[in-house]
Amino acid sequence: MEKWSLMAVAALLGLTVRWTVSLGSYSGAGKPPLYGDYEAQRHWQEVTYNLPVKHWYFNTSDNNLQYWGLDYPPLTAYHSLLCAYVAKLINPNWIALHTSRGHESPSHKLFMRATVLVADMLVYIPAVILYCCHLRETSTKKKIATALCILLYPGLILIDYGHFHLGFALWGVLCLSYDLDLLGSIAFCLAINYKQMELYHSLPFFCYLLGKCFKKGLMGKGLLLLIKLGSIVVVSFALCWLPFCTEVEQILQVLRRLFPVDRGLFEDKVANIWCTLSVLIKIKTVLSSQTQFKLSFALTFLSLLPCCIKLTLQPSLKGFKYALVTCALSFFLFSFQVHEKSILLASIPVCLVLNEIPFMSAWFLLVSTFSMLPLLLKDGLLLSYIVTTLAFLTACTTSFSMFEKTSEDDLQLKTFSSSVRKYIPWFRTFPNVIKSSFLVSITLMGILTLMSATLDPPQRLPDLFPVAVSAVSCLHFLFFLLYFNVIAIWELRDSRNQKKSH
């Protein structure tokens, strides 16, 4: 009883912080003609309520796709329609066709924030609380601390406030943790059909479940499970896409909106390999769009292949969670058409292992928030960024004593280190190097934040600070990709050694 009471307090604190931050400025406020992401959410309600389903994703006189046209899967559209019905009851002017563009009244802002908060309360936050409550071999105090730290993670508070799809993905992970494979598959299908970026997590789900089928035997229970999983995925997608299945062109148009290849390799100053390399080599100029697409596909595929093969051949929950991290990071670093906010898709699985490797997880989560600094400054969220980051770091430090968790065992590198030391003797100093690197990293991020917020860049280099932020963040992410891959590939051997010792 006491555990649930404390979990409720943690959830309430998380909700309070989210609501407080959300009442501040929002993206694009008072900046015509597009106004920003807030207007996009409102406009989707306008479109889905006033237009027939067959016009939602098409360019028409009443639906200018250049003005925040729908570019997310059907579940996002249905959610917008549901919110629109509620908005209609309160104030029809909020979703009036054409005339409601750019509407920014205080009452409407409160309504929009409330719809997001309700969605979080129904899907995302319960998934976090239940996941932490059912952590195995973990004390009650540590479970509560983990839940609090996840809910205080600045990236998910400051950016993309409202995490319906991440909530569904978390429910999927939670169901798989208890062998509820069919329910887990349904939950993840809902996540993909809410936001297509959940494809970042699709391969670990696929490989883990396929590996379970192999393990059970494809001539017996494994084959039956495979048929059930395939059927449930087909039915889930069919139900979500049913209104758009009247014509082939409808389906193709939705897909074109979901995967706009013509937008280019990357947008703005995203902290991935392509944007960072473009400082030295103008990739968009040197290579054709088709070559860029093929190269990004090849590198993404090769970078996530080892982890996925390991997970398929030796499926385990621990390997599954780390595969979620490595695959999402691979997509973010190497794939085509990546947005700065996509790093959140790597952050949420890192949150799931926060209790296992608090030092490295907290470090990654701090860097992931820092990588979105140009967006935060653009939206006037500097103060919120500083306060929430300090609150998160304080919570992690006090809850996990993370600065004391830097031994090889704490970093889950014991087996790997013992193998490497045979060839590289100085590797025994790795924990000290990691701790020193963290201090240098935090200092560098602090300096770049201060310079970005207070100094004007040289006229010849107007993007100096955003480029520096993306380059520094990219180098961090490459290091973390290597680190999490080592854990994902070596974790089973480590587990077996522990079982033998027991």
Side-chain angles (χ1 to χ4, degrees):
M1 189 67 182
E2 183 183 0
K3 177 179 76 173
W4 289 106
S5 300
L6 291 173
M7 280 292 187
V9 171
L12 183 61
L13 180 59
L15 281 170
T16 303
V17 172
R18 288 163 183 273
W19 181 256
T20 303
V21 172
S22 74
L23 293 177
S25 61
Y26 53 88
S27 176
K31 297 177 182 178
L34 293 180
Y35 298 98
D37 290 343
Y38 175 91
E39 169 63 9
Q41 304 286 334
R42 189 214 59 78
H43 180 64
W44 295 341
Q45 295 176 22
E46 173 194 343
V47 168
T48 53
Y49 185 85
N50 291 288
L51 302 181
V53 175
K54 64 181 181 180
H55 290 165
W56 285 359
Y57 291 91
F58 279 88
N59 197 52
T60 66
S61 57
D62 290 326
N63 185 24
N64 179 10
L65 294 181
Q66 297 301 312
Y67 185 83
W68 299 118
L70 262 170
D71 53 5
Y72 287 124
L75 273 188
T76 294
Y78 304 150
H79 186 201
S80 297
L81 179 60
L82 178 63
C83 293
Y85 275 108
V86 179
K88 179 74 173 180
L89 294 174
I90 301 173
N91 188 341
N93 293 329
W94 290 349
I95 55 167
L97 191 62
H98 301 310
T99 59
S100 61
R101 285 193 177 185
H103 189 94
E104 296 180 344
S105 68
S107 58
H108 183 254
K109 181 180 178 182
L110 193 65
F111 165 75
M112 293 289 281
R113 296 313 189 196
T115 60
V116 171
L117 192 69
V118 169
D120 272 1
M121 289 173 63
L122 292 176
V123 181
Y124 175 69
I125 291 177
V128 171
I129 296 299
L130 284 176
Y131 173 81
C132 294
C133 280
H134 291 90
L135 286 172
R136 292 162 185 170
E137 299 178 3
T138 306
S139 66
T140 299
K141 181 180 178 181
K142 203 171 182 181
K143 290 177 180 179
I144 296 167
T146 303
L148 180 62
C149 290
I150 293 175
L151 293 175
L152 289 180
Y153 166 52
L156 293 180
I157 294 174
L158 300 170
I159 297 286
D160 245 3
Y161 181 71
H163 317 295
F164 227 42
H165 63 110
L166 296 176
F168 283 132
L170 273 178
W171 278 107
V173 174
L174 190 61
C175 289
L176 295 192
S177 300
Y178 285 87
D179 290 325
L180 302 173
D181 298 330
L182 298 183
L183 287 177
S185 298
I186 293 172
F188 188 65
C189 286
L190 293 176
I192 289 182
N193 281 291
Y194 195 87
K195 284 196 176 178
Q196 66 271 33
M197 289 90 73
E198 277 300 324
L199 288 170
Y200 281 34
H201 299 146
S202 59
L203 279 174
F205 272 88
F206 174 78
C207 293
Y208 176 70
L209 291 171
L210 182 63
K212 286 189 74 171
C213 293
F214 287 152
K215 200 171 182 180
K216 290 176 180 288
L218 286 182
M219 299 303 291
K221 292 182 179 180
L223 179 60
L224 181 61
L225 177 59
L226 186 61
I227 293 172
K228 287 180 179 178
L229 289 171
S231 301
I232 207 73
V233 169
V234 170
V235 170
S236 299
F237 269 80
L239 289 174
C240 290
W241 286 71
L242 191 60
F244 303 95
C245 293
T246 54
E247 299 175 17
V248 175
E249 183 56 28
Q250 276 277 343
I251 298 174
L252 292 177
Q253 176 61 13
V254 176
L255 291 174
R256 281 193 288 266
R257 291 296 299 163
L258 300 189
F259 304 103
V261 179
D262 57 331
R263 286 187 184 177
L265 189 57
F266 60 88
E267 287 187 58
D268 297 326
K269 300 299 179 286
V270 60
N272 73 352
I273 195 72
W274 305 120
C275 181
T276 304
L277 282 177
S278 291
V279 176
L280 304 173
I281 305 170
K282 301 303 178 185
I283 298 175
K284 289 184 176 181
T285 305
V286 174
L287 302 177
S288 65
S289 296
Q290 191 175 20
T291 305
Q292 293 171 32
F293 182 81
K294 290 178 179 178
L295 182 61
S296 65
F297 175 81
L299 282 179
T300 304
F301 179 74
L302 290 173
S303 65
L304 53 79
L305 188 60
C307 188
C308 287
I309 291 175
K310 176 69 183 296
L311 184 61
T312 306
L313 297 177
Q314 297 176 328
S316 69
L317 280 172
K318 184 177 178 183
F320 170 59
K321 288 191 287 187
Y322 285 108
L324 287 171
V325 178
T326 57
C327 287
L329 256 181
S330 293
F331 271 104
F332 178 80
L333 285 168
F334 302 113
S335 67
F336 197 87
Q337 232 318 291
V338 174
H339 193 278
E340 298 101 310
K341 293 185 288 187
S342 299
I343 191 59
L344 295 176
L345 292 158
S347 299
I348 196 67
V350 172
C351 287
L352 300 183
V353 297
L354 184 60
N355 67 304
E356 297 176 22
I357 40 173
F359 183 83
M360 296 299 285
S361 298
W363 186 6
F364 176 90
L365 295 172
L366 290 171
V367 176
S368 66
T369 307
F370 168 76
S371 72
M372 299 181 287
L373 181 64
L375 279 179
L376 300 176
L377 292 176
K378 184 179 178 182
D379 294 340
L381 292 171
L382 176 63
L383 182 59
S384 298
Y385 163 64
I386 294 172
V387 172
T388 54
T389 298
L390 290 176
F392 173 74
L393 183 58
T394 302
C396 289
T397 303
T398 55
S399 300
F400 299 108
S401 303
M402 52 179 267
F403 293 112
E404 299 171 11
K405 305 285 186 180
T406 57
S407 67
E408 290 177 350
D409 211 9
D410 292 323
L411 298 177
Q412 301 208 9
L413 294 173
K414 191 173 182 179
T415 306
F416 175 75
S417 297
S418 62
S419 300
V420 171
R421 277 201 300 269
K422 297 175 183 176
Y423 309 98
I424 309 175
W426 58 264
F427 198 78
R428 66 178 67 253
T429 63
F430 184 73
N432 293 329
V433 172
I434 283 293
K435 193 178 291 187
S436 300
S437 299
F438 174 81
L439 296 175
V440 172
S441 170
I442 292 295
T443 303
L444 184 58
M445 289 190 287
I447 292 172
L448 280 175
T449 299
L450 183 63
M451 292 175 70
S452 300
T454 60
L455 299 179
D456 293 323
Q459 291 185 351
R460 291 175 55 251
L461 301 170
D463 295 326
L464 176 62
F465 297 136
V467 167
V469 169
S470 66
V472 168
S473 302
C474 179
L475 291 174
H476 278 84
F477 294 145
L478 287 169
F479 162 71
F480 284 118
L481 178 64
L482 178 62
Y483 171 76
F484 284 114
N485 261 302
V486 167
I487 295 180
I489 292 170
W490 285 78
E491 59 88 20
L492 267 183
R493 182 181 299 185
D494 197 13
S495 298
R496 285 173 180 170
N497 288 343
Q498 289 178 7
K499 286 179 182 178
K500 287 178 183 177
S501 64
H502 288 317

